[in-house]
Amino acid sequence: MHDRSGLEITMVQLPALNTPQFDWALSRMRCKATPVAPIYQPELAAEAITYAADHPDRREYWLGASTVATLTANRLMPGLLDRYLARTAPRPLRTAPARSQSAAVAVPAPQGGQRGHAAVRGDGGVSALARP
């Protein structure tokens, strides 16, 4: 926009993804954190991001029904979802006891793939992209 650079920016809002983030991220929770269902494979996010890069005419893309519901609720009633989640601490976020972790944050993530150990829902394809 500025200086007529021709630069276009598009944001892709993603649902929970089955990545190893919750397997190696430092957490001070009493239980091991897990993503909130539905959880999708990372290839779906890659497909959506590629699609958005090829079609930058939209400012945002929302991937998956859970993302649409969360962002819509947050626009209609800001903060309500935060207060609800803070009070209820949903079960999907609390699983097995957390393992001992070191506080070394500057250490590279362990190698071994891009998938976590979460139960995954079907991929949905790029057709799951919604217009905000």
Side-chain angles (χ1 to χ4, degrees), residues 102-123:
S102 82
V105 265
V107 177
Q111 298 301 310
Q114 281 70 38
R115 293 184 191 242
H117 297 94
V120 178
R121 184 178 176 164
D123 68 10

Side-chain angles (χ1 to χ4, degrees), residues 4-53:
R4 302 182 208 320
S5 69
L7 180 68
E8 296 178 283
I9 297 175
T10 300
M11 182 185 325
V12 181
Q13 300 280 1
L14 302 171
L17 298 171
N18 186 26
T19 65
Q21 169 189 356
F22 292 98
D23 295 335
W24 61 264
L26 177 64
S27 173
R28 303 229 186 260
M29 294 174 55
R30 282 178 256 151
C31 297
K32 183 180 180 223
T34 60
V36 177
I39 303 164
Y40 295 90
Q41 292 295 5
E43 291 83 2
L44 179 63
E47 189 178 334
I49 292 166
T50 301
Y51 181 87

Side-chain angles (χ1 to χ4, degrees), residues 11 13 58-62 68 71-72 75 129-132:
M11 182 185 325
Q13 300 280 1
R58 292 188 197 174
R59 185 181 184 121
E60 280 186 48
Y61 287 93
W62 296 355
V68 172
L71 294 175
T72 301
R75 282 187 178 180
L129 284 173
R131 176 174 233 142

Side-chain angles (χ1 to χ4, degrees), residues 69-94:
T70 301
L71 294 175
T72 301
N74 203 36
R75 282 187 178 180
L76 297 175
M77 300 167 279
L80 181 64
L81 192 58
D82 295 339
R83 287 190 296 277
Y84 170 76
L85 292 173
R87 269 189 288 121
T88 61
R91 285 250 178 250
L93 295 175
R94 301 176 289 153

